[in-house]
């Protein structure tokens, strides 16, 4: 475990000079390769990461500093070993204390809730090839006939080492169909994938879990493919590829690649008349997928403006480690609305949801924010909720707090908890995540809601452009 209160200023892993006047590197410095320490430090920490992963050791990094400490350089030590990464302002904050306790939580038998020195091995039938893995692991160097020439993530192997695993550890494994055209698949035949996970329990026992999956083969134009499509899992798997590519490629190139993949999917599975955007329709199994891609393009995983390199490393680490539900919350946060007219209900992640007489709770996985509309905030500031005749206002103010606490209890790392009012500075955490359907240029177009000061394209315009491109001849 590394408890980091500041950046390294000496030795081969230094990320900044000892002089306080020397600023920490930014994304712009890294992009322009103008920082003299970054490449050397990356090389040093990656060499350490290979040694720790080979020895089966996991590295946990806890950062407690208002400035950056070099997580962007040290990320390989955590990501390759399956360790935990926690980013806080200070070691006295509740975020650090509670996250540290959760890393060392024990079960009813008194054992740590994690496995050690794990190995994940994949076996497939001859029609499938393994492209690679994206997640908290490194290659175990097992080259077999099942290895694909196409690499996605950590490829060139059918086995990976994960120094530490817990109940939340999730990896993405990618395959390609390698069946020769001359070898027609037999009707009713199935493809098999087997995952064998071996790890050492906290008690010292070695355990193996084997999961075997059988799926029927289908021709490329078969309706069975659309019927079996899981758009949530697909969005997370595509997000992992995009973020993995963003580590080594220009973000603009990654966004263009995401757009091409989305257009190809819509052309293949959409229902439309050629050159008629108004006729474009998607099967319900695909209908939310473009929305996920819209929010992914705007997310902090790909849009690094307003994030430091350390923050970006932390966000991407969490995406590579968490399961589908948590990853989707990171990509497209959930928004709950509390009002006098009914029970709390999920609402659109849209600027039209910001109304003066409601309370909103935003869950981005990294932040849990309670936002009070202007009218609610005025009533609260006037102390109405403390008067017996306004009991309903008191209950309304308490409801999102109770729900937020239930989320804070179960999450690792512990999210930042924010309470704010409409038009106040910290409301920016909510506004930055919303679809700007009511921007300064179209404030009344959609009927209500606060105008968002942004030039970002809203979801409706994005989907209209997608429909137009999908119905044209494929280029």
């Amino acid at each position: 475990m590394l408890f980091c209160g500041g950046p390294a200023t000496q030795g081969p892993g230094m990320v900044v000079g000892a002089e306080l006047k020397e600023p920490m590197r930014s994304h712009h410095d890294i992009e322009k390769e103008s920082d003299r320490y970054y490449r050397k430090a990356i090389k040093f920490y990656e060499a350490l990461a290979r040694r720790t992963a080979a020895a089966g050791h996991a590295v946990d990094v806890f950062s407690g500093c208002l400035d950056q400490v070099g997580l962007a350089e040290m990320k390989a030590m955590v990501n390759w070993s399956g360790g935990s990464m926690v980013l806080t302002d200070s070691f006295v904050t509740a975020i650090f204390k509670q996250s540290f306790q959760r890393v060392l939580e024990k079960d009813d038998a008194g054992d740590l809730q994690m496995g050690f020195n794990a190995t994940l091995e994949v076996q497939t039938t001859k029609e499938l090839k393994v492209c690679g893995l994206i997640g908290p692991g490194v290659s175990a160097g097992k080259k077999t006939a099942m290895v694909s020439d196409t690499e996605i993530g950590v490829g060139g192997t059918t086995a990976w080492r994960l120094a530490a695993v817990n109940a939340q550890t999730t990896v993405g494994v990618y395959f390609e169909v390698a069946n020769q055209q001359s070898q027609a698949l037999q009707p009713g035949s199935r493809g098999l994938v087997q995952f064998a996970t071996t790890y050492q329990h906290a008690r010292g026992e070695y355990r193996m879990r084997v999961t075997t999956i059988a799926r029927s083969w289908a021709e490329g134009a078969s309706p069975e493919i659309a019927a079996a499509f899981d758009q949530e899992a697909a969005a997370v798997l595509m997000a992992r590829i995009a973020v993995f590519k963003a580590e080594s490629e220009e973000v603009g190139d990654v966004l263009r690649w995401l757009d091409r993949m989305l257009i190809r999917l819509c052309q293949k599975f959409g229902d439309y008349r050629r050159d008629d955007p108004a006729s474009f329709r998607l099967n319900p199994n695909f209908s939310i997928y473009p929305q996920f891609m819209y929010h992914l393009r705007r997310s902090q995983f790909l849009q690094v403006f307003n994030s430091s390199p350390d923050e970006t490393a932390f966000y991407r680490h969490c995406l590579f480690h968490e399961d589908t539900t948590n990853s989707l919350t990171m990509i497209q946060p959930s928004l709950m609305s509390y009002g006098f007219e009914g029970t709390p209900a999920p609402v659109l992640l849209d600027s039209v949801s910001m109304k003066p007489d409601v309370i909103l709770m935003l869950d981005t996985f990294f932040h849990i924010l309670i936002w009070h509309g202007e009218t609610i905030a005025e009533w609260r500031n006037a102390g109405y909720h403390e008067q017996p005749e306004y009991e309903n206002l008191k209950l309304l103010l308490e409801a999102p707090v109770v729900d937020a606490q239930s989320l804070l209890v179960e999450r690792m790392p512990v999210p930042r908890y924010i309470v704010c009012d409409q038009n106040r500075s910290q409301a920016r955490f909510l506004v930055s995540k919303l679809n700007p359907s009511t921007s300064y240029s179209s404030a009344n177009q959609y009927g209500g809601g606060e105008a968002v000061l942004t030039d970002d394209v809203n979801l409706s315009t994005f989907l209209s452009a997608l429909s137009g491109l999908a119905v044209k001849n494929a280029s």
Side-chain angles (χ1 to χ4, degrees):
M1 285 184 170
L2 171 63
F3 299 91
C4 202
T9 58
Q10 297 290 332
M14 67 185 295
V15 296
V16 70
E19 293 283 335
L20 287 176
K21 65 182 180 183
E22 187 175 340
M24 289 288 290
R25 75 281 174 277
S26 64
H27 278 293
H28 181 75
D29 296 328
I30 294 170
E31 185 182 334
K32 299 297 181 185
E33 298 187 0
S34 59
D35 185 81
R36 54 182 170 158
Y37 307 111
Y38 184 73
R39 297 295 170 193
K40 292 177 184 176
I42 285 278
K43 189 175 179 181
F44 171 73
Y45 289 117
E46 285 186 352
L48 275 182
R50 290 189 192 93
R51 288 170 58 191
T52 55
H57 301 315
V59 178
D60 299 326
V61 177
F62 296 87
S63 164
C65 184
L66 288 168
D67 200 356
Q68 300 181 74
V69 298
L71 284 181
E73 287 82 357
M74 294 186 282
K75 63 190 174 191
M77 294 198 301
V78 183
N79 293 342
W80 295 4
S81 68
S84 301
M85 186 185 287
V86 177
L87 186 65
T88 66
D89 295 338
S90 166
F91 290 124
V92 299
T93 60
I95 294 176
F96 164 72
K97 293 176 182 177
Q98 294 173 25
S99 297
F100 183 56
Q101 287 173 341
R102 284 175 201 179
V103 169
L104 301 175
E105 270 184 352
K106 296 183 178 180
D107 59 20
D108 295 337
D111 299 317
L112 288 171
Q113 294 183 326
M114 62 180 78
F116 304 95
N117 209 13
T119 302
L120 172 65
E121 188 170 346
V122 177
Q123 304 278 351
T124 68
T125 45
K126 62 182 180 181
E127 301 90 356
L128 288 168
K129 300 279 188 184
V130 181
C131 296
L133 172 144
I134 299 180
V138 293
S139 171
K142 187 168 184 178
K143 296 184 183 292
T144 67
M146 293 175 286
V147 173
S148 169
D149 293 333
T150 305
E151 282 197 20
I152 297 177
V154 182
T157 181
T158 58
W160 298 267
R161 277 196 290 268
L162 295 80
V165 291
N166 57 33
Q168 285 74 43
T169 302
T170 308
V171 298
V173 184
Y174 299 83
F175 303 89
E176 71 172 353
V177 179
N179 192 53
Q180 300 295 325
Q181 293 293 331
S182 58
Q183 300 174 354
L185 293 166
Q186 296 298 318
S189 62
R190 291 190 164 197
L192 299 173
V193 179
Q194 186 175 80
F195 300 95
T197 308
T198 309
Y199 66 94
Q200 186 176 10
H201 190 264
R203 287 196 209 117
E205 306 166 349
Y206 283 91
R207 299 182 178 182
M208 173 182 276
R209 186 176 73 178
V210 179
T211 305
T212 306
I213 300 166
R215 292 291 181 267
S216 300
W217 289 108
E219 295 297 330
S222 170
E224 294 177 14
I225 295 177
F229 185 72
D230 184 337
Q231 54 193 333
E232 287 87 0
V236 174
L237 287 166
M238 287 297 286
R240 287 197 181 207
I241 298 177
V243 173
F244 188 89
K245 290 165 76 74
E247 294 284 353
S248 57
E249 299 179 24
E250 293 283 342
V251 171
D253 295 337
V254 176
L255 292 175
R256 283 187 287 274
W257 173 82
L258 266 180
D259 292 342
R260 287 196 302 272
M261 294 297 105
L262 178 58
I263 293 166
R264 283 173 57 184
L265 178 120
C266 291
Q267 287 176 333
K268 186 170 181 65
F269 295 103
D271 181 19
Y272 56 89
R273 293 187 298 274
R274 184 74 64 192
D275 295 326
D276 183 6
S279 68
F280 182 79
R281 298 289 184 275
L282 274 175
N283 180 299
N285 279 5
F286 294 87
S287 59
I288 312 175
Y289 183 79
Q291 189 173 309
F292 290 142
M293 293 298 103
Y294 169 79
H295 287 288
L296 175 63
R297 294 175 93 266
R298 300 180 73 223
S299 71
Q300 69 270 34
F301 302 114
L302 299 178
Q303 301 293 344
V304 297
F305 178 77
N306 209 31
S307 292
S308 69
D310 278 17
E311 288 173 322
T312 298
F314 169 67
Y315 294 142
R316 291 175 176 177
H317 160 80
C318 292
L319 181 70
F320 288 158
H321 183 273
E322 293 297 323
D323 60 19
T324 301
T325 303
N326 286 339
S327 297
L328 282 177
T329 303
M330 298 179 207
I331 295 167
Q332 182 176 319
S334 63
L335 190 64
M336 294 287 292
S337 178
Y338 301 77
F340 293 113
E341 297 178 357
T343 57
V347 291
L348 293 172
L349 189 66
D350 195 293
S351 56
V352 298
S353 299
M354 290 194 296
K355 298 174 182 175
D357 59 345
V358 301
I359 301 174
L360 298 176
M361 184 178 75
L362 177 76
D363 179 12
T364 71
F365 185 85
F366 306 105
H367 303 94
I368 292 176
L369 178 140
I370 296 176
W371 177 92
H372 300 97
E374 197 169 14
T375 304
I376 299 287
E378 288 174 358
W379 290 344
R380 183 205 61 212
N381 294 340
Y384 289 159
H385 62 291
E386 297 170 353
Q387 301 175 23
E389 60 267 32
Y390 294 105
E391 180 73 16
N392 58 342
L393 176 60
K394 180 182 178 183
L395 294 174
L396 180 67
L397 290 167
E398 290 174 351
V401 176
V402 172
D403 291 346
Q405 292 303 321
S406 66
L407 292 172
L408 289 166
V409 164
E410 61 189 28
R411 191 158 295 168
M412 169 63 199
V414 175
R416 182 177 172 187
Y417 181 58
I418 301 167
V419 179
C420 66
D421 297 339
Q422 187 173 9
N423 301 322
R424 297 297 180 181
S425 63
Q426 289 203 308
R428 67 187 187 277
F429 287 99
L430 170 64
V431 175
S432 65
K433 294 295 180 184
L434 299 178
N435 166 39
S437 61
T438 54
S439 68
Y440 67 91
S441 58
S442 59
N444 298 316
Q445 186 176 346
Y446 294 89
E450 181 182 321
V452 178
L453 302 177
T454 180
D455 288 324
D456 281 0
V457 170
N458 62 46
L459 179 60
S460 176
T461 305
F462 177 81
L463 295 178
S464 298
L466 175 62
S467 302
L469 291 167
V471 300
K472 291 180 181 177
N473 290 322
S475 57

